[in-house]
């Protein structure tokens, strides 16, 4: 791989991602200013993740809005592969989905793919992935979803509901399709080969259009689903994609739950957050204070600044003054990190309380097979 290049797939991403090139490569559409206005017209508000390009691309979001404007409601669907504890990067599409749900007043489904991560990770048992599914569900619920219009699907638990839909899909996907999309080989286990049909299934759980907020690395699964949909008499799922959230140790990759140091978990204590940010967060600052004051920092590559932009500082004015002060050299890296540490810890204090309460609410959220 040359330094100019990058890779984004559901299992892997690498290199500095060029999002213009990626939309071309994937065949998705950049979110235009017209689309932003149209979303704003319907929601009455413009979300900072849209405004700042954290959500940057889509497939057929216009159709969803067109139907909605005519009075036809859609539903929302997203998910998580429970391969480990939840980290703050995972919350990005969930928080955004929560906002969409509130503004459009629609149903939401959240899929936890315990089977997928069992197939994909040689070191995890099915018991492990079930346990992480439960842990991840607590984080999802803690964001404030309501059981009346939000259901959590756990693949092994809801297979009775999913299987008849997955079978419709599976019959229309052949090995060369998935092989082309995911790079499977003869050594790939057959669970993985079938798996996309299970991730497709919730798209067709209600007889309505579906909108999926998701990390752009998940797009390939739904490219397959979109090809299949008309063949089984269904509408194609519409998608809205967020950028990959960088790990602490550097821009250009997503936060990986498997690299402990590069990851802030939703269950981390305040002193752990402080230590991780101070020690590992990649800095756009200069090697010493004198140079930093003179040349200034680079917020574009500074992970602490990026976390504020992506998630933790919704106020544009505050963000801009941090940006300008850091860039001019007035603000030092240690000060910038201090701001982020405080923001994360404020967020986590509330989140962890709600996460505890979620333990008593989880049963109300679990989808019951009909
Ligand atoms: N495969 C996803 C992951 O590894 C989990 C997932 C299931 C998902 N259904 C989804 C993600 C729908 C986004 C949208 O994390």
């Amino acid at each position: 791989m040359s330094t100019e290049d990058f890779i984004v797939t559901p299992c892997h991403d690498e290199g500095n991602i060029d999002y213009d090139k990626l939309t071309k490569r994937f065949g998705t559409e950049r979110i235009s200013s017209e689309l932003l206005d149209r979303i704003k017209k319907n929601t009455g508000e413009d979300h900072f993740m849209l405004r700042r390009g954290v959500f940057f691309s889509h497939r057929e979001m216009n159709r969803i809005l067109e139907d909605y404007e005519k009075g036809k409601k859609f539903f929302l669907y997203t998910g998580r592969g429970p391969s480990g504890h939840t980290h703050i990067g995972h919350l990005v599409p969930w928080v955004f989905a929560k906002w969409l749900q509130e503004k459009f007043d629609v149903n939401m489904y959240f899929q936890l793919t315990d089977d997928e991560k069992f197939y994909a990770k040689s070191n995890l048992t099915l018991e492990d992935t079930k346990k992480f599914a439960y842990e991840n569900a607590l984080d999802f619920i803690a964001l404030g979803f309501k059981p009346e219009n939000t259901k959590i699907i756990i693949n092994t638990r809801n297979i009775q509901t999913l299987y008849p839909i997955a079978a419709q899909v599976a019959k229309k996907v052949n090995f060369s399709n998935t092989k082309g999309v995911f790079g499977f080989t003869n050594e790939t286990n057959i669970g993985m080969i079938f798996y996309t049909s299970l991730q497709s299934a919730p798209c067709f759980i209600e007889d309505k259009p579906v909108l999926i907020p998701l990390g752009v690395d998940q797009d390939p699964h739904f490219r397959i689903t979109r090809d299949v949909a008309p063949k089984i008499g269904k509408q194609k799922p519409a998608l809205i994609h967020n950028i990959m959230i960088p790990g602490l140790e550097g821009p250009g990759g997503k936060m990986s739950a498997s690299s402990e140091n590069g990851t802030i978990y939703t269950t981390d204590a305040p002193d752990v957050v402080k230590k991780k940010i101070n020690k590992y967060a990649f800095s756009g600052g200069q090697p010493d204070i004198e140079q930093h004051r003179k040349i200034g920092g680079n917020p574009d590559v500074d992970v602490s600044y990026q976390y504020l932009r992506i998630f933790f500082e919704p106020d544009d004015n505050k963000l801009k003054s941090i940006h300008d002060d850091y860039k001019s050299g007035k603000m030092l890296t240690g000060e910038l990190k201090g701001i982020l540490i405080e923001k994360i810890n404020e967020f986590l204090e509330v989140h962890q309380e709600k996460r505890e309460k979620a333990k008593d609410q989880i049963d109300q959220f679990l989808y019951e097979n009909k």
Side-chain angles (χ1 to χ4, degrees):
M1 197 176 76
S2 82
T3 49
E4 300 294 298
D5 211 359
F6 59 90
I7 299 173
V8 178
T9 73
C11 347
H12 183 74
D13 71 88
E14 201 179 322
N16 283 314
I17 303 164
D18 176 331
Y19 287 103
D20 272 326
K21 274 195 200 155
L22 188 64
T23 41
K24 288 208 187 82
R25 200 186 280 181
F26 276 14
T28 68
E29 283 177 71
R30 238 10 232 238
I31 297 177
S32 66
S33 54
E34 288 78 19
L35 180 55
L36 283 182
D37 288 344
R38 195 172 185 182
I39 296 173
K40 195 172 163 185
K41 215 180 79 208
N42 279 285
T43 58
E45 192 181 294
D46 111 36
H47 195 279
F48 72 93
M49 289 183 187
L50 282 169
R51 204 161 63 223
R52 296 180 189 166
V54 175
F55 279 81
F56 69 102
S57 144
H58 73 106
R59 292 184 189 268
E60 284 196 297
M61 179 76 189
N62 280 306
R63 172 170 52 85
I64 293 291
L65 292 173
E66 204 169 294
D67 284 346
Y68 183 82
E69 286 160 6
K70 288 187 202 139
K72 187 171 180 197
K73 276 204 180 173
F74 59 95
F75 68 96
L76 290 161
Y77 158 43
T78 192
R80 150 97 180 128
S83 55
H85 285 288
T86 312
H87 55 65
I88 54 175
H90 292 130
L91 304 179
V92 169
W94 309 351
V95 164
F96 184 66
K98 171 81 181 15
W99 179 78
L100 288 173
Q101 187 187 38
E102 250 168 50
K103 296 294 164 188
F104 289 99
D105 185 24
V106 292
N107 290 340
M108 162 92 204
Y109 295 84
F110 186 65
Q111 180 181 41
L112 287 160
T113 57
D114 53 349
D115 54 344
E116 176 195 18
K117 294 300 152 178
F118 170 61
Y119 292 141
K121 308 274 172 183
S122 56
N123 59 333
L124 292 179
T125 65
L126 201 48
E127 290 311 310
D128 294 333
T129 59
K130 277 184 181 171
K131 189 194 84 196
F132 287 132
Y134 172 80
E135 294 291 331
N136 297 163
L138 298 179
D139 288 297
F140 177 77
I141 293 166
L143 297 177
F145 292 97
K146 305 268 174 300
E148 295 78 43
N149 58 4
T150 307
K151 289 296 159 217
I152 297 174
I153 295 169
I154 301 177
N155 282 4
T156 59
R157 188 175 173 277
N158 294 116
I159 193 63
Q160 188 185 331
T161 299
L162 299 176
Y163 196 68
I165 318 175
Q168 300 290 327
V169 175
K171 194 169 180 176
K172 301 292 178 193
V173 182
N174 62 39
F175 185 44
S176 80
N177 298 147
T178 48
K179 199 169 155 186
V181 173
F182 298 106
F184 294 149
T185 67
N186 279 346
E187 282 63 50
T188 306
N189 70 62
I190 61 173
M192 296 281 290
I193 295 163
F194 179 75
Y195 168 72
T196 292
S197 46
L198 279 166
Q199 183 154 326
S200 300
C203 296
F204 310 118
I205 201 161
E206 281 192 30
D207 194 18
K208 281 188 203 142
V210 61
L211 173 65
I212 309 175
L214 76 175
V216 68
D217 61 323
Q218 292 296 312
D219 183 80
H221 285 294
F222 296 107
R223 225 177 290 155
I224 293 179
T225 316
R226 285 171 53 83
D227 285 345
V228 169
K231 299 180 187 159
I232 60 171
K234 304 281 186 193
Q235 270 193 46
K236 295 181 178 195
L239 314 175
I240 182 160
H241 307 99
N242 66 261
I243 58 169
M244 304 315 296
I245 312 303
L248 278 186
E249 289 164 292
K254 73 175 160 183
M255 208 188 227
S256 165
S258 44
S259 149
E260 288 269 331
N261 295 334
T263 307
I264 294 182
Y265 295 100
T266 57
T267 49
D268 281 349
D271 58 319
V272 175
V273 171
K274 186 173 175 188
K275 207 183 85 200
K276 284 182 181 172
I277 300 283
N278 279 333
K279 190 156 178 200
Y280 299 109
F282 184 85
S283 160
Q286 304 302 334
D288 60 57
I289 294 185
E290 197 177 305
Q291 280 188 67
H292 189 89
R293 293 282 188 221
K294 211 159 86 197
I295 310 170
N298 180 357
D300 295 339
V301 300
D302 188 283
V303 169
S304 302
Y305 177 77
Q306 289 306 319
Y307 282 13
L308 290 169
R309 186 182 79 84
I310 292 168
F311 193 100
F312 290 102
E313 184 48 271
D315 184 323
D316 283 352
N317 291 328
K318 287 189 187 156
L319 187 74
K320 185 170 186 310
S321 85
I322 294 169
H323 177 275
D324 294 353
D325 287 353
Y326 191 59
K327 205 169 171 167
S328 73
K330 191 172 156 204
M331 183 183 283
L332 300 174
T333 296
E335 295 170 304
L336 175 58
K337 287 188 173 190
I339 295 172
L340 179 67
I341 292 165
E342 201 177 309
K343 285 274 173 193
I344 294 182
N345 283 337
E346 267 171 27
F347 172 83
L348 287 184
E349 191 185 333
V350 179
H351 183 81
Q352 288 168 6
E353 252 171 54
K354 292 188 184 158
R355 195 180 186 280
E356 276 309 302
K357 292 203 182 110
K359 291 179 182 168
D360 296 326
Q361 302 168 326
I362 188 164
D363 287 343
Q364 293 166 261
F365 280 91
L366 297 180
Y367 183 89
E368 291 307 330
N369 293 314
K370 304 221 158 68

